[in-house]
Amino acid sequence: MRTIHTDVITKNIREMCIEANLYLADDVKNRILSGKEKEESALGKQILGQLEQNMEIAAQDEIPICQDTGMAIVFMNIGQDVHIEGGPLEDAINEGIRQGYRDGYLRKSVVADPLLRENTKDNTPGIIHYAIVPGESIEITIAPKGFGSENMSRVIMLKPADGEEGVKNAVLETVRLAGPNACPPMVIGVGIGGDFEKCAILAKKALTRNLDTPSPLPHIRKLEEELLDEINKTGIGPGGLGGRITALGLNIETYPTHIAGLPVAVNICCHVNRHVKRIL
Amino acid sequence: MDKHISVPFTNEVVKELHAGDYVYLTGTIYTARDAAHKRMYEAIGRGETLPIDVNNNVIYYLGPTPAREGQVIGSAGPTTSSRMDKYTPTLLDMGLKGMIGKGKRTPQVIEAMKKNTAVYFAAVGGAGALLSKCIKSAEVIAYDDLGTEAIRRLTVEDLPVIVVIDCEGNNLYETATKEYER
Ligand code: SF4
């Protein structure tokens, strides 16, 4: 049994919110740079060059990479031998978000009620997914998510007979519909299986997986490669202004499902695919 | 083709801009996004005058991050334009000449742009730190309570944008994508 104080959790989440919004992880960064070399469209190359410059300015002047600093998505993997003291965990997480968004000069983009729409002015609450796992540590992933791309995401309840072809069509159609709205080059997270909400969470999780770590399942790995290839043939390109580099990467997560179902979720993210992980 | 133009501008300037042109804007523009559009639209409905004169002006769909000490503005890239589509034809009828955002527009907006000789530019989405460097002053002039969604007057210098839809209705999103489709 190990004891972790909520103050430690708050402090780490505060720092992670700021870090995620100023620096992209190397996997995403490297794909923007290699994309610039590969892009055939001159305008597309120029746009990818601007994204490169943008990352440099963001890091140097501590200006967020994008003005949509997102809603804070939090994955908490809590070891079952951890005891948390210091007050309610959820409050500690939201306090970390509050401090991070305040001290990091990040945008407050959350409204308290989806219909009345009054801004909470501190970017809380976050969206928190808890999992109880073996061990005595806590793994925290913070993934601030912009809504230009989130709005273009979909859950589609396919039939088993639709099979792999159905999954491919669902993903490609979602990407085509997203087009320039999702700030391409995009990163795509796909969840296959589970039920209605499980596949959506899988898709979000897929976005937090390193782009250079393909699925361990051979048939899924092949599907990831084929889909990325087909997405980059749509012609959407950087900024949606034509070109080859429409997506930087695509990750798929799967889960067992019902004999009658084939749920698919496509979570669209832009090139500002932010995620920071820490283990306490 | 690269062009340098000053804002605000008139029909004569708009007619010279064609889908695909790379344009650097210098002058005064205004920011407004979802909540400010809704408020302006409701004010028009009640017959009130708007806090900004949209005639011949350009609106940038932007909600920036807060500025740090010594900075003019925080990260300042475009938001998705389609959420403004419901309100845009009314503003175009009042003389709005240009919009800066990202993403597709409805046929109604494009029709209103043709009718009123207006232009739609895209700025590069997700390049807010870079774009902030082209903003030389920023001042909240209305709807302060909306926070990031308040209306701001910006002075910009060589703000890089691309003409996506011109006043004849040519749409770069459609033509350019087809060119690279395989
Ligand atoms: S979609 Fe991504 S890059 Fe575009 S504005 Fe939103 S967070 Fe920024």
Side-chain angles (χ1 to χ4, degrees):
Chain A
M1 178 73 86
R2 200 177 137 223
T3 299
I4 298 180
H5 198 278
T6 48
D7 285 352
V8 177
I9 295 169
T10 298
K11 174 179 164 285
N12 277 280
I13 289 181
R14 172 191 175 277
E15 293 168 1
M16 290 163 83
C17 287
I18 299 173
E19 187 185 325
N21 274 296
L22 292 180
Y23 318 100
L24 287 182
D26 284 341
D27 58 335
V28 179
K29 200 191 276 181
N30 289 338
R31 294 214 181 191
I32 292 175
L33 301 184
S34 64
K36 195 180 91 179
E37 300 309 314
K38 279 186 234 154
E39 180 54 63
E40 291 166 19
S41 141
L43 181 55
K45 247 188 205 308
Q46 194 173 354
I47 290 171
L48 293 167
Q50 286 193 6
L51 298 184
E52 182 184 0
Q53 263 181 296
N54 186 62
M55 288 189 285
E56 286 163 11
I57 293 171
Q60 200 182 327
D61 295 352
E62 298 187 41
I63 302 173
I65 305 158
C66 180
Q67 77 290 336
D68 186 354
T69 50
M71 236 184 140
I73 317 300
V74 187
F75 286 99
M76 297 287 296
N77 288 347
I78 302 171
Q80 64 189 33
D81 295 325
V82 173
H83 168 70
I84 296 166
E85 68 170 30
L89 174 60
E90 190 138 333
D91 292 354
I93 296 170
N94 281 321
E95 183 57 27
I97 295 171
R98 185 174 292 121
Q99 291 180 12
Y101 275 73
R102 180 193 64 206
D103 300 345
Y105 293 82
L106 307 178
R107 199 178 77 182
K108 287 68 178 181
S109 314
V110 176
V111 293
D113 180 289
L115 294 177
L116 302 177
R117 306 201 72 81
E118 196 173 334
N119 198 303
T120 62
K121 299 206 163 75
D122 61 4
N123 219 55
T124 67
I127 293 175
I128 310 167
H129 302 287
Y130 299 99
I132 305 294
V133 299
E136 50 173 30
S137 52
I138 300 181
E139 184 194 273
I140 306 176
T141 303
I142 299 276
K145 184 67 173 73
F147 260 56
S149 51
E150 191 73 359
N151 280 339
M152 307 316 290
S153 305
R154 300 196 301 169
V155 171
I156 301 147
M157 303 304 282
L158 294 175
K159 294 178 194 69
D162 295 327
E164 194 178 302
E165 211 42 48
V167 172
K168 276 192 177 173
N169 290 339
V171 173
L172 283 168
E173 192 189 40
T174 308
V175 168
R176 283 210 181 85
L177 287 171
N181 293 25
C183 295
M186 310 174 203
V187 176
I188 322 264
V190 181
I192 310 175
D195 65 350
F196 184 76
E197 83 280 6
K198 179 72 180 178
C199 70
I201 295 172
L202 289 174
K204 174 110 325 134
K205 249 196 201 144
L207 287 176
T208 68
R209 201 175 86 211
N210 191 309
L211 293 176
D212 299 320
T213 311
S215 168
L217 307 170
H219 69 295
I220 296 299
R221 178 187 190 138
K222 186 163 154 275
L223 188 57
E224 287 175 344
E225 284 166 7
E226 288 172 4
L227 270 171
L228 182 59
D229 197 49
E230 287 187 37
I231 287 167
N232 285 334
K233 284 184 186 152
T234 57
I236 295 169
L241 297 168
R244 288 270 79 83
I245 310 298
T246 300
L248 300 172
L250 178 143
N251 284 344
I252 302 176
E253 293 287 328
T254 61
Y255 195 80
T257 189
H258 189 277
I259 49 173
L262 178 51
V264 179
V266 188
N267 199 180
I268 304 274
C269 193
C270 48
H271 54 92
V272 190
N273 182 31
R274 295 159 279 207
H275 47 89
V276 174
K277 186 188 290 185
R278 283 191 192 176
I279 296 170
L280 307 184
Chain B
M1 201 167 92
D2 285 13
K3 291 180 178 168
H4 291 259
I5 61 173
S6 54
V7 272
F9 47 55
T10 56
N11 286 359
E12 285 58 50
V13 176
V14 174
K15 283 180 191 154
E16 294 300 312
L17 297 173
H18 305 290
D21 287 351
Y22 204 94
V23 179
Y24 295 91
L25 299 177
T26 299
T28 304
I29 60 175
Y30 296 90
T31 70
R33 50 170 293 155
D34 307 54
H37 271 79
K38 182 167 187 276
R39 225 180 250 190
M40 284 198 284
Y41 187 74
E42 286 166 359
I44 295 165
R46 290 191 300 267
E48 295 165 13
T49 46
L50 295 182
I52 54 170
D53 180 11
V54 295
N55 192 33
N56 287 345
N57 269 312
V58 172
I59 290 181
Y60 186 8
Y61 302 141
L62 161 67
T65 59
R68 281 175 190 273
E69 209 80 8
Q71 289 175 347
V72 170
I73 197 165
S75 197
T79 195
T80 312
S81 311
S82 59
R83 294 191 314 273
M84 269 48 82
D85 284 351
K86 177 180 166 187
Y87 312 114
T88 299
T90 306
L91 296 176
L92 289 168
D93 287 345
M94 292 173 72
L96 180 68
K97 280 293 119 192
M99 300 150 284
I100 308 168
K102 55 149 172 134
K104 301 169 197 174
R105 308 306 305 255
T106 55
Q108 289 86 334
V109 170
I110 298 173
E111 274 316 304
M113 285 173 58
K114 282 157 68 177
K115 187 173 92 187
N116 295 296
T117 316
V119 59
Y120 172 51
F121 302 105
V124 174
L130 175 73
L131 292 167
S132 76
K133 297 292 176 191
C134 307
I135 299 173
K136 301 303 167 187
S137 77
E139 183 195 355
V140 173
I141 55 158
Y143 306 159
D144 198 9
D145 61 299
L146 294 179
T148 184
E149 296 204 66
I151 295 182
R152 288 172 169 78
R153 185 193 289 125
L154 306 182
T155 311
V156 296
E157 212 176 280
D158 287 331
L159 183 75
V161 293
I162 298 144
V163 178
V164 174
I165 306 174
D166 61 29
C167 64
E168 286 167 9
N170 299 307
N171 188 341
L172 185 65
Y173 285 142
E174 283 168 12
T175 51
T177 299
K178 281 207 188 85
E179 196 178 320
Y180 288 93
E181 196 176 343
R182 268 189 195 151

Tab-separated table of all heavy atoms in Angstrom, chain A residues 66-68 145-149 181-183 270-272 274, chain B residues 78-79 102 125-126, ligand 1:
chain	number	residue	atom	x	y	z
A	66	CYS	N	-1.723	26.378	-30.209
A	66	CYS	CA	-2.987	26.778	-30.815
A	66	CYS	C	-3.796	27.534	-29.776
A	66	CYS	O	-3.695	27.257	-28.581
A	66	CYS	CB	-3.775	25.552	-31.277
A	66	CYS	SG	-5.332	26.051	-32.036
A	67	GLN	N	-4.606	28.494	-30.265
A	67	GLN	CA	-5.426	29.268	-29.314
A	67	GLN	C	-6.529	28.421	-28.687
A	67	GLN	O	-7.019	28.742	-27.618
A	67	GLN	CB	-6.000	30.518	-29.991
A	67	GLN	CG	-7.194	30.291	-30.905
A	67	GLN	CD	-6.800	29.564	-32.180
A	67	GLN	OE1	-5.650	29.616	-32.589
A	67	GLN	NE2	-7.747	28.875	-32.793
A	68	ASP	N	-6.930	27.342	-29.372
A	68	ASP	CA	-7.887	26.444	-28.726
A	68	ASP	C	-7.098	25.488	-27.857
A	68	ASP	O	-6.608	24.455	-28.317
A	68	ASP	CB	-8.738	25.673	-29.739
A	68	ASP	CG	-9.817	24.848	-29.032
A	68	ASP	OD1	-9.795	24.801	-27.781
A	68	ASP	OD2	-10.668	24.255	-29.708
A	145	LYS	N	-8.081	18.779	-25.694
A	145	LYS	CA	-8.658	18.459	-27.008
A	145	LYS	C	-9.391	19.673	-27.570
A	145	LYS	O	-10.325	20.193	-26.954
A	145	LYS	CB	-9.628	17.287	-26.846
A	145	LYS	CG	-10.224	16.790	-28.161
A	145	LYS	CD	-9.165	16.161	-29.065
A	145	LYS	CE	-9.761	15.505	-30.301
A	145	LYS	NZ	-10.240	16.450	-31.317
A	146	GLY	N	-8.974	20.091	-28.767
A	146	GLY	CA	-9.631	21.192	-29.467
A	146	GLY	C	-10.928	20.709	-30.099
A	146	GLY	O	-11.061	19.539	-30.463
A	147	PHE	N	-11.863	21.640	-30.242
A	147	PHE	CA	-13.180	21.209	-30.708
A	147	PHE	C	-13.435	21.435	-32.193
A	147	PHE	O	-14.464	20.990	-32.710
A	147	PHE	CB	-14.280	21.860	-29.845
A	147	PHE	CG	-14.806	20.897	-28.807
A	147	PHE	CD1	-13.930	20.303	-27.906
A	147	PHE	CD2	-16.138	20.556	-28.755
A	147	PHE	CE1	-14.389	19.392	-26.967
A	147	PHE	CE2	-16.611	19.647	-27.819
A	147	PHE	CZ	-15.745	19.068	-26.922
A	148	GLY	N	-12.536	22.114	-32.887
A	148	GLY	CA	-12.690	22.212	-34.336
A	148	GLY	C	-12.674	20.809	-34.918
A	148	GLY	O	-13.482	20.438	-35.772
A	149	SER	N	-11.744	20.002	-34.411
A	149	SER	CA	-11.643	18.623	-34.886
A	149	SER	C	-12.619	17.703	-34.154
A	149	SER	O	-13.179	16.782	-34.742
A	149	SER	CB	-10.201	18.129	-34.741
A	149	SER	OG	-9.721	18.360	-33.435
A	181	ASN	N	-12.121	21.644	-42.002
A	181	ASN	CA	-12.607	22.100	-40.690
A	181	ASN	C	-11.737	21.619	-39.532
A	181	ASN	O	-11.696	22.238	-38.479
A	181	ASN	CB	-14.036	21.599	-40.446
A	181	ASN	CG	-15.036	22.234	-41.392
A	181	ASN	OD1	-14.681	22.675	-42.478
A	181	ASN	ND2	-16.290	22.283	-40.995
A	182	ALA	N	-11.080	20.481	-39.729
A	182	ALA	CA	-10.336	19.858	-38.626
A	182	ALA	C	-8.853	20.210	-38.641
A	182	ALA	O	-8.047	19.519	-38.017
A	182	ALA	CB	-10.516	18.347	-38.678
A	183	CYS	N	-8.493	21.293	-39.327
A	183	CYS	CA	-7.096	21.723	-39.389
A	183	CYS	C	-6.155	20.611	-39.813
A	183	CYS	O	-5.236	20.235	-39.067
A	183	CYS	CB	-6.634	22.308	-38.066
A	183	CYS	SG	-7.487	23.812	-37.613
A	270	CYS	N	-6.537	17.242	-34.795
A	270	CYS	CA	-5.707	18.009	-35.726
A	270	CYS	C	-4.243	17.638	-35.497
A	270	CYS	O	-3.939	16.768	-34.692
A	270	CYS	CB	-5.927	19.474	-35.446
A	270	CYS	SG	-5.796	19.799	-33.673
A	271	HIS	N	-3.348	18.350	-36.174
A	271	HIS	CA	-1.915	18.125	-35.941
A	271	HIS	C	-1.500	18.541	-34.535
A	271	HIS	O	-0.452	18.140	-34.047
A	271	HIS	CB	-1.099	18.883	-36.993
A	271	HIS	CG	-1.438	20.342	-37.050
A	271	HIS	ND1	-0.757	21.271	-36.323
A	271	HIS	CD2	-2.428	21.006	-37.688
A	271	HIS	CE1	-1.302	22.459	-36.546
A	271	HIS	NE2	-2.317	22.321	-37.368
A	272	VAL	N	-2.339	19.383	-33.873
A	272	VAL	CA	-2.028	19.766	-32.491
A	272	VAL	C	-2.589	18.664	-31.576
A	272	VAL	O	-3.509	18.880	-30.797
A	272	VAL	CB	-2.613	21.159	-32.155
A	272	VAL	CG1	-2.091	21.658	-30.817
A	272	VAL	CG2	-2.243	22.162	-33.237
A	274	ARG	N	-2.227	16.822	-28.644
A	274	ARG	CA	-1.476	17.039	-27.406
A	274	ARG	C	-1.724	15.914	-26.412
A	274	ARG	O	-2.861	15.562	-26.148
A	274	ARG	CB	-1.930	18.361	-26.763
A	274	ARG	CG	-1.602	19.576	-27.589
A	274	ARG	CD	-2.467	20.765	-27.218
A	274	ARG	NE	-3.771	20.671	-27.854
A	274	ARG	CZ	-4.545	21.731	-28.154
A	274	ARG	NH1	-4.134	22.939	-27.893
A	274	ARG	NH2	-5.716	21.565	-28.707
B	78	PRO	N	-7.196	30.862	-36.403
B	78	PRO	CA	-8.614	30.894	-36.768
B	78	PRO	C	-9.419	29.758	-36.135
B	78	PRO	O	-8.883	28.695	-35.861
B	78	PRO	CB	-8.568	30.680	-38.280
B	78	PRO	CG	-7.365	29.798	-38.467
B	78	PRO	CD	-6.356	30.290	-37.459
B	79	THR	N	-10.711	30.005	-35.936
B	79	THR	CA	-11.606	28.933	-35.523
B	79	THR	C	-12.467	28.528	-36.723
B	79	THR	O	-12.448	29.188	-37.769
B	79	THR	CB	-12.459	29.345	-34.310
B	79	THR	OG1	-13.036	28.164	-33.746
B	79	THR	CG2	-13.557	30.318	-34.679
B	102	LYS	N	-11.405	29.220	-40.984
B	102	LYS	CA	-10.935	27.979	-41.590
B	102	LYS	C	-12.142	27.086	-41.818
B	102	LYS	O	-13.093	27.115	-41.048
B	102	LYS	CB	-9.896	27.279	-40.712
B	102	LYS	CG	-10.398	27.016	-39.291
B	102	LYS	CD	-9.821	25.792	-38.686
B	102	LYS	CE	-10.170	25.661	-37.211
B	102	LYS	NZ	-10.628	24.346	-36.796
B	125	GLY	N	-4.856	26.939	-39.658
B	125	GLY	CA	-5.353	26.475	-38.365
B	125	GLY	C	-4.254	25.801	-37.580
B	125	GLY	O	-3.497	24.999	-38.117
B	126	GLY	N	-4.162	26.159	-36.310
B	126	GLY	CA	-3.147	25.542	-35.469
B	126	GLY	C	-1.795	26.211	-35.600
B	126	GLY	O	-0.776	25.636	-35.241
C	1	SF4	S1	-8.747	21.863	-34.683
C	1	SF4	FE1	-6.798	21.773	-33.580
C	1	SF4	S2	-5.404	23.155	-34.662
C	1	SF4	FE2	-7.487	23.593	-35.312
C	1	SF4	S3	-8.130	25.279	-34.005
C	1	SF4	FE3	-8.848	23.378	-33.043
C	1	SF4	S4	-7.190	22.754	-31.633
C	1	SF4	FE4	-6.360	24.292	-33.016
